[in-house]
């Protein structure tokens, strides 16, 4: 059966969905973007339709007109008001957007290195870096972090929206349409424009506190291990684990979040300065199951008696501990009586994070003291000596700093509106790996390491010019043009030597003579001429998070220059047209030209058709071109050390890497907007996005799960030839895919005043999206000698096509009853597939068949509820996110079905939920909030 979406069917059912409904979008009142906003109410009364009707909110995203509203936009735009953004206890802007915007996806992975602390989000099923983020209409810089582990957004860099607290935001405009021809690179899926508050007086102070109070689903409490004569015994069902008795599912109270913030407006003559400060302290959560693997070495078949007293809750799996300070300033002031205005805004974020890696068992090779062996002695259980008595849990401590500053002048010059601006943004992350070891240094290893850091800087200068002309059309012709200069810089700072280097307890095999091998103390293989050192095979690099190596030190820059033209008018009453074109030249890969045509036709005032066609592009990020780093991935519970190479390195070239090209897209959308009665709006939009030369990170070449044994051995031989023995796998970036993304967004809102029951806003929103790989661009280069090797294989293909919800429904109600306010929302997250490493049983080389360990996450409904009570200027709120304590499908454990054979991955016992869950896996969160307006 075809997976293609029928827009006709969805348009047919959308009015029926609305009957049950609620808003994915809360609208702010009408606001001229050039003036401070007037006070708004949560819901506009029917008789107040017009200037305060949300559909008449003036928008500034997707057009450079000064009078375009949501209602007459030819492309779909969501406007999220301040009330909607603050009616949550979660304290993170990305989490709030995940609950409000159906096409927005924000999974919350764990044990994913830096991605634990800076989590990427996506729009319309595309990559995080295919959505452009603006602040006050100006391009926002991305994070320096490259997401390289097995999560949604693998291989991408993204803007961290959590740096901008909801208290500082007036509204967020989400343009769900390609806009590269208007804004440049990255705007393939759409644009998120964060509009900062501009109030010249008054303010709000707010304090909230909450905690997860939850009962894990299908994760029972381990009451005791089975004790037979003072010794633990193996489980008869699965001999990889110890037998035990279990009680009810675990009950947990953790993850406390304390947030305190203040926003204040200060008049500056006829201008303003608006300031926001917020402090957030979030404790970690832990949803790990008991680790019932034997932890201690077994020189014989006997089980160590210490197993009975060992703490089985040794993993930490959930949100990391973070402490954030965010400061925002937004100002504008007229320059005398010239009619010109100076404006500026700045953001500052400081975050300290602490997350955990995987537990290193006492019996692990990572905990072995290789100094007790001679170089020629093979390690065995019998000659094992531990470096730590019980094992260890490495921790990754990060210090994150981000700041941006913008300044500009705008006014009128010879009848033209002119805006000249400059924006500088900086992001840096520094890492420490703590409670760890570099096993290759043995007992001389530090336990805490400076693991290096990442930096990204961006400077953008814009000149925007616009004017309206009377051209005999139904509305004046808006003509806008401008130019942009941008310079990006990415750098890596190496960590201390011990964080990445191979110490004296690792010696790579060498090709030499038998006599020399004897002198070196190794073991000689006469058939291959290789001298190996099995007693000097210690893993190297800081366990949990290896440091950035010295040879990765770099500072790379590039620049681009662009020019655009945009025309916008209504040539006939009810007929809106937008035409845009943009040319851009990059210093590192050449030029690109893109265009867009958007149309809207109101057949009658209550019914309009709209659509657009555009081309787009995304430039490869500097991180994708130049990043070098190590990481340790656990595949089926086993550690694999993986190195990521820049595409221009000798090793990458030997593995087949080529210079990256920009991604290119063709976006087509068509929709309808219906207003059958006052206060009721229904919109439905179909989109179809074809992307060529998508930039992806290859499989972990050489590791289990990425190819056959013969293919992996061939890759390992290439690594060894480049002096990289000891690494389990390698990867690099490629233009690896041609893809098609299609889907539909349906949004219905109904706002009304119902006498005694107050003002209410109901809405229903639906998104369905389908990602399809049209072609794998398997340009193997030197790797063509390896038969059947695929650079972007089954695991990454399934993650790409099925790793985000197939559909999403948001139903919400927001209203007031005198002094009482209520927000109720329920969100259905559709099916997700989390691929496992094991190949399909029937056809191991298939790139599309499911494997025995692929996990199918069932659709789930997540319900949020908040109650508010206001007394004068003070508001008290209490609420619950995930009210009914819903968890994603649990990963299966133990033996697979007899028809399949074997066992499920052993890490499913202690990591019970998948990081692909679109709503996380923390359970119910209860909170209270007090806010004071002044």
């Amino acid at each position: 059966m075809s997976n293609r979406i029928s827009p006709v069917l969805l348009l047919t059912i959308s009015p029926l969905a609305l009957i049950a409904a609620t808003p994915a979008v809360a609208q702010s009142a009408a606001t001229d973007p050039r003036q401070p906003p007037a006070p708004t109410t949560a819901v506009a009364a029917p008789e107040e339709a017009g200037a305060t009707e949300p559909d008449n909110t003036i928008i500034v995203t997707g057009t450079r007109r000064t009078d375009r509203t949501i209602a007459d936009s030819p492309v779909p735009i969501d406007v999220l008001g301040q009330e909607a953004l603050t009616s949550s206890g979660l304290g993170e802007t990305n989490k709030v957007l995940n609950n409000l915007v159906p096409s927005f996806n924000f999974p919350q992975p764990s044990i994913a290195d830096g991605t634990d602390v800076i989590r990427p989000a996506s729009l319309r099923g595309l990559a995080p870096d295919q959505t452009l983020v603006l602040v006050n209409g100006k391009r926002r810089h991305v994070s320096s972090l490259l997401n390289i582990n097995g999560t949604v957004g693998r291989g991408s860099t993204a803007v961290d929206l959590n740096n901008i607290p909801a208290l500082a935001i007036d509204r967020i405009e989400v343009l769900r349409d390609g806009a590269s021809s208007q804004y440049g690179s990255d705007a393939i899926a759409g644009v998120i424009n964060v509009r900062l508050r501009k109030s010249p007086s008054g303010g709000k102070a707010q304090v909230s506190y909450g905690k997860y109070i939850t009962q894990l689903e299908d994760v029972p409490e381990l009451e005791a291990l089975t004790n037979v004569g003072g010794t633990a015994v193996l489980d008869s069902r699965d001999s990889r684990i110890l037998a035990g008795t279990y009680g009810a599912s675990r009950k947990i109270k953790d993850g406390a979040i304390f947030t305190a913030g203040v926003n204040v407006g200060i008049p500056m003559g006829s201008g303003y300065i608006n300031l926001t400060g917020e402090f957030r302290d979030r404790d970690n959560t832990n949803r790990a199951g008991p680790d019932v693997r034997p932890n201690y070495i077994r020189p014989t078949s006997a089980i160590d008696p210490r197993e009975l007293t060992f703490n089985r809750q040794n993993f930490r799996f959930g949100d990391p501990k973070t402490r954030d300070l965010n400061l925002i300033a937004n100002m504008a002031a007229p320059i005398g009586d010239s009619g010109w205005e100076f404006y500026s805004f700045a953001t500052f974020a400081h975050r300290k994070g602490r997350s955990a890696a995987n537990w290193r068992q006492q019996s692990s090779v990572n905990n072995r003291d290789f100094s007790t062996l001679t170089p020629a002695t093979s390690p065995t259980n019998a000659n094992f000596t531990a470096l730590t008595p019980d094992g260890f849990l490495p921790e990754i401590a990060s210090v994150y700093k981000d700041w941006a500053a913008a300044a500009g002048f705008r006014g009128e010059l010879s009848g033209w509106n002119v805006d000249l601006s400059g924006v500088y943004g900086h992001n840096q992350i520094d890492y420490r790996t703590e409670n760890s070891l570099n096993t290759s240094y043995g007992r001389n290893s530090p336990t805490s390491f400076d693991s290096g850091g990442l930096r990204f800087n961006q400077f953008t200068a814009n000149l925007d010019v616009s004017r309206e002309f009377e051209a005999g059309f139904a509305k004046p012709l808006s003509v806008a043009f401008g130019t942009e200069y941008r310079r990006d810089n990415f750098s890596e700072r190496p960590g201390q030597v011990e964080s990445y280097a191979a110490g004296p307890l690792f010696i790579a095999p060498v090709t030499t003579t038998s006599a020399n091998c004897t002198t070196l103390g190794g073991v000689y293989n006469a058939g291959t001429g290789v001298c190996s050192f099995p007693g000097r095979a210690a893993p190297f690099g800081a366990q949990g998070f290896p440091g950035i190596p010295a040879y990765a030190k770099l500072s790379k820059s590039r620049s681009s220059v662009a020019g655009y033209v945009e025309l916008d008018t209504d040539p006939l009453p009810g007929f809106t047209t937008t035409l845009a074109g943009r040319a851009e030249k990059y210093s590192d890969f050449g030029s690109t030209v893109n265009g867009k045509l958007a149309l809207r036709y109101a057949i009658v005032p209550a019914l309009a058709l709209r659509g657009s066609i555009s081309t787009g592009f995304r430039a490869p990020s500097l991180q994708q071109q130049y990043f070098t780093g190590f990481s340790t991935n656990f595949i089926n519970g086993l550690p694999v050390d993986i190195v990521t190479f820049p595409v221009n390195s000798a090793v990458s070239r030997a593995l087949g890497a080529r210079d990256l090209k920009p991604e290119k897209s063709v976006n087509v959308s068509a929709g309808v907007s219906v207003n059958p009665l006052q206060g009721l709006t229904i919109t439905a939009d179909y989109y179809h996005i074809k992307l060529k030369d998508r930039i992806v990170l290859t499989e972990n070449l050489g590791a289990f799960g990425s190819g056959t044994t013969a293919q992996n051995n061939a890759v390992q031989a290439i690594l060894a030839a480049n002096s990289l023995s000891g690494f389990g796998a390698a990867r690099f970036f490629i233009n690896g895919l041609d893809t098609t993304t299609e889907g539909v967004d349906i949004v219905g809102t109904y706002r009304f005043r119902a006498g005694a029951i107050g003002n209410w806003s109901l809405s229903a929103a639906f998104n369905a999206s389908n990602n399809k790989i049209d072609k794998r661009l398997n340009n193997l280069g030197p790797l063509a000698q390896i038969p059947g090797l695929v650079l972007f294989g089954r695991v990454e293909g399934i993650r790409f096509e099925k790793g985000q919800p197939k559909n999403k429904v948001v139903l919400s109600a927001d209203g007031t009853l005198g002094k009482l306010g209520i927000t109720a929302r329920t969100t259905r997250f559709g099916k997700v597939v989390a691929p496992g490493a094991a190949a399909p049983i029937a056809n191991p080389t298939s790139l599309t068949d499911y494997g025995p360990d692929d996990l199918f996450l069932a659709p789930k409904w997540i319900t949020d509820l908040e109650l508010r009570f206001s007394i004068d200027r003070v508001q008290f709120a209490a609420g619950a996110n995930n009210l009914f304590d819903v968890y994603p499908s649990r990963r299966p454990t133990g033996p697979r079905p007899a028809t399949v054979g074997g066992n499920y991955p052993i890490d499913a016992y202690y990591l019970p939920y998948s990081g692909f869950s679109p709503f996380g896996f923390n359970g119910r969160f209860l909170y209270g909030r007090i806010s004071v307006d002044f």
Side-chain angles (χ1 to χ4, degrees), residues 717-746:
I718 293 175
L719 292 176
N722 286 273
S723 302
L724 290 168
S725 296
F727 286 101
R731 57 196 177 191
F732 51 92
F733 283 91
I734 57 172
N735 290 102
L737 302 176
D738 289 345
T739 68
T740 298
T741 297
E742 66 173 351
V744 67
D745 291 318
I746 303 173

Side-chain angles (χ1 to χ4, degrees), residues 540-563:
F540 55 85
Q543 293 298 314
F545 190 85
I548 295 172
Y551 61 78
K553 182 179 181 180
L554 60 83
S555 179
K556 295 290 184 178
S557 298
R558 72 152 173 234
S559 61
S560 66
V561 179

Side-chain angles (χ1 to χ4, degrees), residues 608-885:
L609 303 178
R610 63 188 182 187
S612 70
I613 182 169
S614 64
T615 60
F617 78 103
R618 191 189 72 82
S621 69
L622 290 175
Q623 291 92 321
Q624 290 172 328
Q625 295 184 75
Y626 298 112
F627 175 80
T628 300
F630 305 151
S631 66
T632 302
N633 286 15
F634 275 68
I635 302 175
N636 279 3
L638 300 175
V640 178
D641 291 323
I642 303 169
V643 59
T644 303
F645 291 107
V647 295
N648 63 350
S649 72
V651 178
S652 293
R653 297 304 194 195
L655 290 169
R658 290 171 169 81
D659 291 342
L660 296 177
K661 300 181 292 185
E663 302 171 339
K664 295 185 178 180
S665 70
V666 176
N667 295 47
V668 178
S669 69
V672 60
S673 175
V674 183
N675 302 93
L677 54 91
Q678 190 172 23
L680 174 61
T681 302
I682 302 170
T683 65
D685 294 276
Y686 168 77
Y687 55 91
H688 186 277
I689 306 169
K690 289 194 75 71
L691 269 156
K692 294 183 69 65
D693 295 322
R694 287 193 66 162
I695 299 169
V696 294
L697 189 59
T698 66
E699 297 281 350
N700 299 323
L701 301 175
F704 168 77
S706 67
T708 65
T709 299
Q711 291 167 353
N712 293 341
N713 289 341
V715 172
Q716 288 294 335
I718 293 175
L719 292 176
N722 286 273
S723 302
L724 290 168
S725 296
F727 286 101
R731 57 196 177 191
F732 51 92
F733 283 91
I734 57 172
N735 290 102
L737 302 176
D738 289 345
T739 68
T740 298
T741 297
E742 66 173 351
V744 67
D745 291 318
I746 303 173
V747 178
T749 63
Y750 182 43
R751 298 173 181 82
F752 61 95
R753 172 178 288 173
I757 66 170
N759 298 330
W760 286 86
S761 174
L762 309 177
S763 76
F766 172 79
N767 169 263
S769 186
N770 184 51
N771 282 308
K772 179 178 178 293
I773 296 175
D774 299 322
K775 183 179 180 181
R776 283 175 164 86
L777 308 177
N778 204 41
N779 298 319
L780 292 171
L783 296 183
Q785 61 183 303
I786 305 175
L789 185 69
V790 176
L791 296 182
F792 194 83
R794 190 192 74 89
V795 170
E796 294 307 320
I798 291 176
R799 177 182 290 134
F800 171 82
E801 292 190 327
K802 310 290 185 182
Q804 300 191 62
K806 187 176 181 63
N807 46 61
K808 185 175 173 183
V809 178
V810 182
L811 307 175
S812 62
D814 188 273
T816 59
L817 275 170
K819 297 182 181 295
L820 180 66
I822 182 170
T823 296
R825 182 183 304 111
T826 186
T827 304
R828 182 188 185 273
F829 296 90
K831 178 182 175 181
V832 172
V833 180
I841 300 296
N843 185 6
T845 61
S846 172
L847 296 178
T848 56
D849 290 354
Y850 291 124
D853 299 332
D854 294 350
L855 178 65
F856 300 91
L857 301 178
K860 299 283 185 175
W861 286 91
I862 306 298
T863 302
D864 303 330
L865 177 66
E866 179 176 289
L867 300 176
R868 298 176 294 276
F869 184 75
S870 300
I871 303 176
D872 295 327
R873 295 176 177 269
V874 181
Q875 184 185 85
F876 301 89
N881 295 106
N882 195 353
L883 177 65
F884 300 113
D885 205 17

Side-chain angles (χ1 to χ4, degrees), residues 212-474:
Y212 289 95
I213 301 177
T214 183
Q215 183 169 358
L216 276 64
E217 188 172 327
D218 298 326
V219 182
E221 194 79 60
L222 175 65
E223 294 181 339
L225 293 180
T226 301
N227 186 337
V228 177
T231 305
V233 297
L234 297 176
D235 193 299
S236 60
R237 183 171 170 267
D238 185 350
S239 60
R240 300 174 300 170
I241 65 170
L242 300 170
T245 56
Y246 296 86
S249 291
R250 297 183 64 211
K251 294 182 178 180
I252 294 178
K253 297 180 181 180
D254 66 3
I257 302 175
F258 171 78
T259 305
V262 62
N263 171 268
V264 60
I266 303 171
M268 295 176 57
S270 56
Y272 66 89
I273 180 168
N274 191 275
L275 304 174
T276 305
E278 182 182 82
F279 171 77
R280 182 171 63 246
D281 189 357
R282 183 182 71 184
D283 203 359
N284 67 274
T285 62
N286 190 5
R287 302 295 174 264
D291 181 3
V292 286
R293 300 171 299 168
N295 184 65
Y296 297 93
I297 197 73
R298 295 168 61 191
T300 65
S301 59
I303 294 175
D304 195 299
R306 290 176 292 177
E307 299 287 2
L308 290 173
T309 56
F310 176 68
N311 179 12
R312 298 289 155 182
Q313 292 301 144
N314 51 6
F315 274 82
R316 198 160 73 235
F317 183 56
D319 284 348
K321 180 177 179 59
T322 60
R323 180 169 290 181
D324 291 74
L325 176 65
N326 297 302
L327 303 174
I328 314 286
N330 188 30
M331 64 84 64
I335 302 174
D337 298 325
S338 65
W340 281 70
E341 180 182 62
F342 172 76
Y343 64 91
S344 179
F345 59 90
T347 66
F348 173 80
H350 185 277
R351 178 183 305 154
K352 287 186 175 181
R354 181 174 292 272
S355 58
N358 284 274
W359 172 261
R360 268 56 177 177
Q361 294 183 293
Q362 185 266 2
S363 58
S364 168
V365 65
N366 303 290
N367 193 45
R368 177 187 280 271
D369 185 356
F370 280 82
S371 69
T372 62
L373 306 176
T374 68
T377 302
S378 294
T380 66
N381 284 4
N383 60 26
F384 181 90
T385 302
L387 288 170
T388 66
D390 300 303
F392 56 98
L393 181 68
E395 293 184 328
I396 305 167
S398 57
V399 177
Y400 171 97
K401 296 178 182 179
D402 185 285
W403 63 82
F409 298 90
R410 56 191 170 211
E412 187 176 303
L413 184 64
S414 300
W416 292 86
N417 297 315
V418 179
D419 186 339
L420 177 64
S421 65
V423 184
Y424 178 80
H426 172 86
N427 179 274
Q428 71 178 62
I429 312 165
D430 291 291
Y431 293 106
R432 290 197 66 84
T433 307
E434 300 181 348
N435 192 39
S436 182
L437 295 169
N438 183 333
T439 312
S440 65
Y441 282 87
R443 298 192 178 278
N444 293 322
S445 169
T447 58
S448 179
F449 305 83
D450 172 8
S451 296
L454 307 172
R455 307 285 187 271
F456 182 77
N457 303 292
Q458 184 175 87
F459 172 74
T460 307
N462 290 93
L463 174 63
D464 300 295
V465 182
S466 64
R467 184 175 181 177
E468 292 187 353
F469 294 90
E470 292 294 342
F473 298 143

